[in-house]
Amino acid sequence: MSPSKFQTNLQLNKRIVSIVISTFVCYLSIGLPLAVLPGFVHGKLGYNSVLAGLIISLQYFATLASRPHAGRYADNIGPKKVVIYGLACCGLSGVFYIFADLTTDTPWLSLIFLCVGRVLLGVGESLAATGTILWGIGATNPIHTARVISWNGVATYSAMAVGAPLGVFLNLHWRLTGVATVIMIIAVLAIALACSKPAIKVVTGKRIAFRAVVGRIWMHGLGLGFGTIGFGVIATFITLYYADKNWDGAAFTLTLFSLGFVGMRLLFANCIARFGGLRVTIVSFAIEILGLLLIWLGLDPFSVQIGALLTGCGFSLVFPALGVEAVKQVPQQNQGTALGTYSAFLDLGLGLTGPIAGLVIAHFGTPAIYLAAALMVLLAMLITLRMLGREKRQVKL
């Protein structure tokens, strides 16, 4: 790479990172209370573990419900405003966490405050994450869509990795109020940073109906949803898998998955522009399937760890690769709606993975969920192959 090209790439990455820092703050707000709230609901408030799990899931349901709306708002008022509103919701969730911590003597009231905070955080996630991607694309160039989405993903998973242990530390010393205070502070700082950056022009013109947008991108979303299941079963059940095998090292396996994910995003995101999103997705699914099959076989801890690394590598580029193809299907003034709707399939996939995998475990044992996940990713690959075949036929015409 020539010095001038290297400098151009560096400047482009700096511009993208200066915007996706909003995503980092959003997901840090999500990661901080993630390991704290189940213990708060079960230990301090005295509710059962099922309710503690539902409190965590409430955020995901709020995100799923609000994703398509977030994209539409970004199309109408501009992504910068949507990002600021999303960060404000994240900060407000911290306010309600403080209310919950101050009312533990009245458990039902504390639980209500927690629920409000979780819903606000879910809405904040959909607004901030969707808005940031669209802002980054508009501030650079549509040809850099894959790079923007890739950096956005790096910010997401880096924040989640930092957030959980930091949240445990803050809770240990300053209870839930300490966690909430940090959420509020970082949200205010991120809002100030976002306000200092220029907005992008809202694209005007006739917008196609929401139903028409869904009709154009549903196959991309379905591929994403099925492809996400591999990530879901590792993130949720790998510790249970290791316990069943009487092995140590589940945490390290999760670390390897994350390293594979982030490494692929940083090193190979340019392949999407070079070879096309559908081709990259097919190769990614093949790698993910191989990783899941290695985990299913479970010959020894080393092979399972290699399987987790491969699954992380395979899943890494799926979201940006299919996302690039999804937004191509609609006019520019509808891209926010398309991206928000497409992202909702990821939320749906993760939301359904837990209960369905639980049923599979109950009937066939823990290793079976990794075989089932591999079959679901295979289905995602077949869907993508069908889209690629359709694309080739259109080119010939």
Side-chain angles (χ1 to χ4, degrees):
M1 182 183 295
S2 66
S4 60
K5 189 174 181 181
F6 175 80
Q7 188 68 25
T8 301
N9 272 324
L10 184 62
Q11 290 174 350
L12 177 62
N13 287 335
K14 284 172 65 177
R15 189 184 307 170
I16 294 171
V17 169
S18 70
I19 293 173
V20 301
I21 196 169
S22 296
T23 295
F24 181 86
V25 170
C26 169
Y27 282 93
L28 188 58
S29 302
I30 293 170
L32 283 168
L34 198 59
V36 172
L37 291 184
F40 181 84
V41 174
H42 185 55
K44 282 206 170 184
L45 301 186
Y47 292 103
N48 59 36
S49 56
V50 174
L51 190 57
L54 285 173
I55 289 295
I56 296 297
S57 297
L58 189 59
Q59 177 213 317
Y60 301 132
F61 293 133
T63 302
L64 174 62
S66 57
R67 282 271 199 192
H69 301 289
R72 192 169 71 252
Y73 296 151
D75 286 334
N76 291 330
I77 65 174
K80 176 180 175 177
K81 289 182 179 179
V82 167
V83 169
I84 291 171
Y85 294 155
L87 292 170
C89 286
C90 293
L92 283 172
S93 73
V95 175
F96 282 92
Y97 290 159
I98 291 177
F99 290 160
D101 201 20
L102 295 176
T103 55
T104 51
D105 291 339
T106 312
W108 64 268
L109 181 59
S110 179
L111 192 68
I112 288 174
F113 284 135
L114 274 185
C115 289
V116 175
R118 297 301 290 168
V119 170
L120 282 169
L121 191 59
V123 173
E125 177 188 358
S126 60
L127 292 172
T130 304
T132 298
I133 292 175
L134 291 166
W135 193 3
I137 293 170
T140 53
N141 189 299
I143 65 172
H144 300 304
T145 296
R147 187 180 300 206
V148 173
I149 297 177
S150 295
W151 274 108
N152 202 64
V154 171
T156 298
Y157 287 90
S158 300
M160 294 291 284
V162 172
L166 179 58
V168 171
F169 173 81
L170 292 169
N171 183 62
L172 183 64
H173 292 278
W174 298 284
R175 306 188 315 175
L176 184 59
T177 296
V179 176
T181 301
V182 171
I183 291 172
M184 293 161 59
I185 291 171
I186 61 175
V188 169
L189 292 174
I191 289 171
L193 180 62
C195 287
S196 70
K197 294 194 170 298
I200 62 171
K201 185 179 179 181
V202 176
V203 178
T204 58
K206 186 178 180 181
R207 292 180 169 86
I208 61 176
F210 176 73
R211 182 181 297 179
V213 173
V214 175
R216 295 186 185 188
I217 61 95
W218 70 272
M219 288 186 70
H220 302 81
L222 206 58
L224 174 66
F226 285 125
T228 300
I229 291 173
F231 162 63
V233 293
I234 288 181
T236 308
F237 296 104
I238 196 68
T239 52
L240 181 61
Y241 181 90
Y242 267 69
D244 285 353
K245 297 277 189 178
N246 292 315
W247 293 344
D248 295 322
F252 180 63
T253 303
L254 286 171
T255 300
L256 285 174
F257 174 89
S258 300
L259 287 173
F261 182 96
V262 174
M264 288 293 288
R265 283 278 176 104
L266 292 175
L267 295 175
F268 295 104
N270 290 338
C271 290
I272 298 171
R274 185 177 178 185
F275 300 108
L278 295 179
R279 289 179 177 83
V280 170
T281 301
I282 291 165
V283 174
S284 297
F285 282 149
I287 297 171
E288 187 177 355
I289 290 168
L290 178 60
L292 289 166
L293 291 176
L294 279 174
I295 299 174
W296 167 60
L297 290 172
L299 300 176
D300 52 55
F302 179 74
S303 65
V304 171
Q305 288 164 359
I306 295 299
L309 178 67
L310 286 173
T311 305
C313 290
F315 179 62
S316 177
L317 295 179
V318 169
F319 185 91
L322 281 176
V324 166
E325 298 300 325
V327 297
K328 285 181 184 177
Q329 309 305 312
V330 299
Q332 191 174 355
Q333 56 267 29
N334 281 98
Q335 286 186 350
T337 305
L339 185 62
T341 306
Y342 166 75
S343 301
F345 282 90
L346 183 145
D347 302 319
L348 184 61
L350 290 177
L352 293 176
T353 294
I356 294 175
L359 290 173
V360 173
I361 290 171
H363 288 87
F364 303 104
T366 306
I369 62 172
Y370 296 98
L371 175 60
L375 293 174
M376 292 299 99
V377 178
L378 177 61
L379 181 56
M381 181 192 284
L382 294 175
I383 292 170
T384 310
L385 282 167
R386 182 178 177 183
M387 288 191 289
L388 182 61
R390 186 174 63 185
E391 182 184 85
K392 288 179 178 178
R393 287 193 297 271
Q394 289 174 346
V395 170
K396 287 180 181 179
L397 294 174

